Amino acid sequence: MENLKTKTKVLLGFAIPVVFLIGLGIISLTNLNKVAETAKWVDHTKLVLKSASGIVASAVNMETGMRGYLLAGKEEFLAPYKQGQEITYTEIERLKETVSDNPGQVARLGEIEQVLRDWQADVTEPAIALRRQIGDAKTMNDMAKLVGEARGKAFFDKFRGQIQTFIDREAELLTKREAEYAAADQAVQDAFDNTVRTVNWVIHTYKVLGMSSNILAHAVNMETGMRGFLLGGEDEFLEPYNNGMDAFFKDIKALRETVSDNPPQVQRLKDAEKLIADWIDQVTEPAIQLRRDVAAGRAAMNAVVSFVQAKKGKTFFDAFRFKMAEFDLIESELVATRVADAEAAEKIVTDNLGVMRDN
């Protein structure tokens, strides 16, 4: 160095920091790309899990609609069945495309679809046809006997098991990808703090939407179990009702805590919880007791049919669905805002790294 000219020393002193800055910029850009790629896969897996939950919900709607029709004998009660059928198979096809990179999951979806179609062919369609033959002129004894055989339960238990296996595989991927995301996030330097913060808010909001979807599914399971019991009269049909009730109140409490920073959303959840509590007190528990009275010979099955046809529960459930839809809409708007914030923060970081690179 002592033999170098002064001009050369000055140039070297200027060039070395620039080289370090360029190297740092390249490393930071690589980390940013890794975060973005991992975040994309995390979002992909969350989308798959949400779609799988949606398939469960729409399939349960099919069962709920079918049981409502078997009880009431009115075509309008088949609306959830028909809508659920269309949504379920459409979403299964879409989900197959979404997970097309995973042949094992695609195959599981095929098995899930086949179980549902077998359930329709062997259980639901014959039961619906029988109910149409019964009409209003005959008693419900044959129908109650058919439902009491629990043939549909075997198919639906198999469906639930397969869809749970599908979800478990995706959850494993999600855990792995979230771990990769955390590792990549840790590797990003302090300059990316704002980006990570906004991305975490997006993840938080997606988590809230997922929890909201689960809460709605719990409520639908309660309704399905209650109607199953009204048809069959066996306590085993109350399993989805009891499990759904326990999970509903547990998860809605957890969700209130998750959105505790947003008082209006907390209030919406309290309103939704009260609607379900009132539904239980004024509709489901009286209906269950009435069915027990039928089993004990203290009331006729027609009393149960009349209770269902009165649609007392529909008022509560429609209000509950509206309240949860309102909650989800607010969260979806937050997602859009937070995604925009994340993109803006990422652009600022990228621009700054570009300046470092160019210099």
Side-chain angles (χ1 to χ4, degrees):
M1 288 289 291
E2 294 179 355
N3 296 326
L4 294 176
K5 296 180 180 180
T6 302
K7 182 178 180 180
T8 304
K9 292 180 181 179
V10 171
L11 289 174
L12 284 174
F14 176 76
I16 290 173
V18 171
V19 170
F20 276 120
L21 285 173
I22 292 174
L24 179 60
I26 292 172
I27 293 172
S28 297
L29 281 172
T30 300
N31 286 334
L32 180 61
N33 289 335
K34 185 175 181 181
V35 169
E37 179 67 18
T38 308
K40 183 188 76 172
W41 279 109
V42 169
D43 287 343
H44 167 87
T45 308
K46 288 179 181 293
L47 176 63
V48 170
L49 289 172
K50 184 177 180 181
S51 297
S53 296
I55 288 171
V56 173
S58 59
V60 170
N61 277 343
M62 291 173 65
E63 188 180 31
T64 299
M66 182 267 291
R67 286 181 170 176
Y69 175 74
L70 297 187
L71 278 168
K74 302 293 184 182
E75 288 294 326
E76 61 193 88
F77 281 87
L78 279 178
Y81 175 79
K82 294 175 181 177
Q83 292 169 358
Q85 174 181 254
E86 180 178 354
I87 293 172
T88 297
Y89 293 123
T90 298
E91 288 305 311
I92 286 176
E93 289 305 313
R94 287 179 181 172
L95 193 52
K96 283 179 182 178
E97 294 178 6
T98 303
V99 298
S100 58
D101 60 310
N102 191 331
Q105 292 291 71
V106 173
R108 287 186 187 93
L109 287 173
E111 294 170 1
I112 289 167
E113 179 180 4
Q114 189 57 52
V115 169
L116 285 177
R117 293 195 184 279
D118 289 345
W119 171 62
Q120 285 187 275
D122 295 350
V123 179
T124 65
E125 295 302 331
I128 290 170
L130 177 59
R131 186 62 178 89
R132 287 198 175 106
Q133 292 175 11
I134 291 173
D136 295 326
K138 299 181 181 179
T139 68
M140 291 289 289
N141 291 338
D142 289 342
M143 182 57 64
K145 179 181 178 182
L146 176 63
V147 175
E149 293 175 359
R151 293 176 59 200
K153 187 175 186 297
F155 284 98
F156 229 76
D157 285 349
K158 184 177 181 181
F159 161 72
R160 289 180 186 276
Q162 288 178 331
I163 200 74
Q164 188 60 51
T165 299
F166 178 89
I167 290 174
D168 289 344
R169 296 294 183 272
E170 289 298 322
E172 290 172 4
L173 287 174
L174 179 60
T175 300
K176 176 183 177 183
R177 287 164 178 170
E178 285 183 330
E180 291 172 352
Y181 179 85
D185 183 47
Q186 186 63 39
V188 176
Q189 301 175 41
D190 292 341
F192 296 96
D193 283 350
N194 193 35
T195 302
V196 172
R197 186 163 52 251
T198 50
V199 167
N200 283 338
W201 272 113
V202 173
I203 293 175
H204 165 85
T205 311
Y206 277 121
K207 176 183 176 182
V208 168
L209 288 170
M211 293 173 72
S212 174
S213 176
N214 287 339
I215 287 168
L216 181 59
H218 296 328
V220 171
N221 278 342
M222 290 172 64
E223 185 180 36
T224 300
M226 182 266 292
R227 288 186 170 178
F229 176 75
L230 295 186
L231 279 167
E234 299 294 334
D235 281 344
E236 65 183 286
F237 285 100
L238 282 177
E239 183 179 344
Y241 173 80
N242 293 325
N243 292 341
M245 181 162 43
D246 291 342
F248 175 86
F249 288 110
K250 176 183 176 182
D251 286 358
I252 204 166
K253 178 182 177 182
L255 185 53
R256 286 203 311 271
E257 294 173 357
T258 302
V259 299
S260 58
D261 60 314
N262 191 333
Q265 289 291 73
V266 172
Q267 186 58 50
R268 289 185 182 94
L269 291 175
K270 287 181 178 179
D271 293 343
E273 183 177 17
K274 186 176 186 307
L275 284 166
I276 290 300
D278 290 344
W279 174 63
I280 292 171
D281 291 340
Q282 300 179 37
V283 179
T284 64
E285 291 301 328
I288 289 171
Q289 183 56 52
L290 181 58
R291 185 62 179 86
R292 293 192 191 281
D293 290 343
V294 171
R298 294 188 295 268
M301 189 66 182
N302 286 339
V304 176
V305 175
S306 297
F307 189 94
V308 174
Q309 289 178 336
K311 299 183 180 179
K312 291 179 62 177
K314 188 175 187 298
T315 301
F316 288 102
F317 224 80
D318 286 350
F320 165 72
R321 287 181 184 273
F322 177 81
K323 189 62 64 175
M324 293 305 296
E326 186 180 47
F327 177 90
D328 287 351
L329 177 61
I330 299 299
E331 290 298 324
S332 296
E333 290 173 350
L334 285 174
V335 167
T337 300
R338 288 164 178 170
V339 167
D341 290 344
E343 291 174 348
E346 182 178 337
K347 186 178 186 305
I348 291 172
V349 171
T350 303
D351 290 344
N352 288 334
L353 289 174
V355 171
M356 292 169 61
R357 181 192 60 216
D358 294 338
N359 288 313

